[in-house]
């Protein structure tokens, strides 16, 4: 059962903190979840302490942690510190959409609509282009920008049109983001109230989907040396991996097939033999079992180890060749050779 009361959220946070102590390699995602539960319990000072602890440990995603810290600080009266963190994030211009969305929504929630719009627009300018496919995360930025522009009474622009197109809910974005909706809540007309309840339910469903952040559908990637060690130690797995080149080509081909079928939130997890053997031991299963590979990939993804796919065309390819993705596995003419 999901935590509901403040006491249940506190208990879940403490469980996650204990787990992070046992598994330091997974500390960052576990403590982030714990901080979220503490915020839901209104234990914001404890949550702030966890964010500080994470930032002191050279985290993998410092901008997101700073953004969450800023939003949390502002909620319990530390506005100046929150603003300083937000300014620092904007100056750093991170290429991950998540911190941008957090700081823009924090500004929005405190009626800083112009500043919120600036953040959403800066992020959209930085992270979207004609050559870059729109991901679920970047589409969420455009949806947030659409909402703030509606609150400001601004006319639609090209990005608003894109947000409208990407929205798949039963109620159009223009209706969900209509500033006049607030007046409907005070209406005496039952039909107006029922319509507003339907809109709120649709919006809540979209919000829950965004906050759930489902684990990506992850494909296992073995670096060349690790793969050589794996098939030497466990020859029964050689049929799964005829060669390293074939292995890389199959990863790209599988991900493209999944994307073409409409699967979203795809990712790649990098494997290592010691990690795989430790996982097999924890599952009381032989590492030689091919069926264990998919479970290992799913577990790594659940621990926050997945790298989103596809990379941008100019980003180094996921295969670690050092070439830009567009010139390596992102090149349709050579991505599936082997």
């Amino acid at each position: 059962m999901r935590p509901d009361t403040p006491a249940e959220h506190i208990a879940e946070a403490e469980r996650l903190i204990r787990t992070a102590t046992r598994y330091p390699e997974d500390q960052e995602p576990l403590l982030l979840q714990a901080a979220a539960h503490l915020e839901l319990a209104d234990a914001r000072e404890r949550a702030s302490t966890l964010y500080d602890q994470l930032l002191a440990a050279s985290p993998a995603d410092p901008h997101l942690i700073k953004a969450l810290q800023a939003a949390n600080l502002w909620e319990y009266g530390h506005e100046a510190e929150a603003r300083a963190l937000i300014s620092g994030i904007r100056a750093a211009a991170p290429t991950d959409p998540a911190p941008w969305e957090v700081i823009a929504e924090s500004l929005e929630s405190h009626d800083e609509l112009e500043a919120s719009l600036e953040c959403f627009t800066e992020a959209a300018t930085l992270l979207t282009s004609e050559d870059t496919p729109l991901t679920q995360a970047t589409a969420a930025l455009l949806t947030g920008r659409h909402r703030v522009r509606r609150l400001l009474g601004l006319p639609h622009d090209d990005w608003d049109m894109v947000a409208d197109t990407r929205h798949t809910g039963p109620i159009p974005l223009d209706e969900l983001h209509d500033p006049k909706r607030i007046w409907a809540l005070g209406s005496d007309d039952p039909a107006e109230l029922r319509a507003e309840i339907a809109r709120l339910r649709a919006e809540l469903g979209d919000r829950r989907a965004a906050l759930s952040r489902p684990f990506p559908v992850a494909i296992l990637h073995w670096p060349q040396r690790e793969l050589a060690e794996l098939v030497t130690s466990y020859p029964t797995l050689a049929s799964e991996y005829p060669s390293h080149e074939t292995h890389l080509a199959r990863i790209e081909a599988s991900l493209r097939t999944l994307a073409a079928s409409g699967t979203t939130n795809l990712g790649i997890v990098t494997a290592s033999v010691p990690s795989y053997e430790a996982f097999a031991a924890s599952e009381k299963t032989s590492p030689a079992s091919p069926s264990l590979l998919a479970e290992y990939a799913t577990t790594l993804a659940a621990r926050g180890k997945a790298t989103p796919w596809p990379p941008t065309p100019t980003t180094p390819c996921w295969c670690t060749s050092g070439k830009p993705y567009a010139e390596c596995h992102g090149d349709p003419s050579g991505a599936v050779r082997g």
Side-chain angles (χ1 to χ4, degrees), residues 58 150 174:
S58 301
R150 287 283 281 152
D174 276 347

Side-chain angles (χ1 to χ4, degrees), residues 4-337:
D4 187 32
T5 66
E8 288 171 340
H9 282 295
I10 293 287
E12 180 63 10
E14 290 174 345
R15 184 191 70 79
L16 290 163
I17 292 168
R18 290 193 299 272
T19 304
T21 302
R22 291 172 55 201
Y23 301 100
E25 69 277 12
D26 298 325
Q27 175 175 278
E28 188 169 329
L30 290 168
L31 292 186
L32 281 175
Q33 291 179 55
H37 281 289
L38 290 171
E39 288 188 37
L40 290 168
D42 205 28
R44 294 190 173 277
E45 192 164 355
R46 285 190 65 189
S48 183
T49 299
L50 282 187
Y51 291 133
D52 286 337
Q53 179 182 334
L54 283 165
L55 289 169
S58 301
D61 200 348
H63 298 303
L64 176 58
I65 297 169
K66 288 178 181 179
L68 294 168
Q69 174 72 300
N72 180 59
L73 285 169
W74 203 332
E75 289 298 322
Y76 78 106
H78 296 270
E79 180 182 337
E81 292 177 60
R83 287 185 181 277
L85 284 168
I86 288 171
S87 296
I89 293 166
R90 292 177 67 177
T95 56
D96 175 16
W100 286 106
E101 186 174 13
V102 171
I103 62 174
E105 289 188 347
S106 182
L107 289 162
E108 178 189 355
S109 70
H110 292 280
D111 294 324
E112 301 273 351
L113 297 181
E114 288 83 2
S116 175
L117 177 57
E118 288 174 7
C119 280
F120 276 126
T121 302
E122 287 171 20
T125 303
L126 178 68
L127 302 178
T128 65
S129 71
E130 292 182 359
D131 299 327
T132 305
L134 206 61
T135 66
Q136 186 175 359
T138 50
L141 291 174
L142 298 186
T143 299
R145 183 179 179 275
H146 181 290
R147 180 179 62 249
V148 174
R149 285 175 62 82
R150 287 283 281 152
L151 290 170
L152 289 168
L154 298 174
H156 269 35
D157 63 7
D158 289 344
W159 274 330
D160 289 330
M161 298 296 185
V162 173
D164 284 331
T165 302
R166 287 296 295 252
H167 179 65
T168 58
I171 297 176
L173 277 187
D174 276 347
E175 192 173 345
L176 284 175
H177 296 165
D178 186 352
K180 296 178 182 177
R181 286 174 54 200
I182 188 66
W183 299 105
L185 294 174
S187 173
D188 293 327
D189 184 341
E192 285 188 9
L193 288 172
R194 281 195 295 270
E196 182 57 24
I197 289 170
R199 285 190 290 265
L200 288 170
R201 282 176 173 165
E203 191 171 32
L204 180 60
D206 289 346
R207 190 66 179 158
R208 281 176 172 166
L211 290 175
S212 67
R213 296 179 185 267
F215 298 131
V217 176
I219 304 293
L220 204 58
H221 165 224
W222 293 91
Q224 188 166 9
R225 291 178 63 180
E226 295 292 335
L227 185 61
E229 181 180 345
L230 178 78
V231 297
T232 300
S233 301
Y234 307 105
T236 56
L237 299 180
S239 60
E240 300 289 321
Y241 304 110
S243 71
H244 190 251
E245 185 179 79
T246 300
H247 168 53
L248 299 182
R250 285 177 175 175
I251 292 173
E252 183 71 22
S254 297
L255 289 166
R256 291 187 183 204
T257 300
L258 287 167
S261 70
T263 305
T264 60
N265 205 19
L266 299 170
I268 296 174
V269 286
T270 300
S272 72
V273 173
S275 167
Y276 178 62
E277 290 175 334
F279 174 73
S282 71
E283 295 295 308
K284 297 181 173 59
T285 303
S286 168
S289 172
S291 64
L292 191 65
L293 295 167
E295 294 178 39
Y296 176 52
T298 300
T299 300
L300 289 180
R303 292 178 177 176
K305 305 296 186 183
T307 300
W309 180 94
T312 63
T314 56
T315 299
C317 188
W318 54 263
C319 73
T320 69
S321 66
K323 297 178 182 178
Y325 176 63
E327 299 175 16
C328 193
H329 284 85
D331 177 5
S333 65
V336 294
R337 65 184 182 276

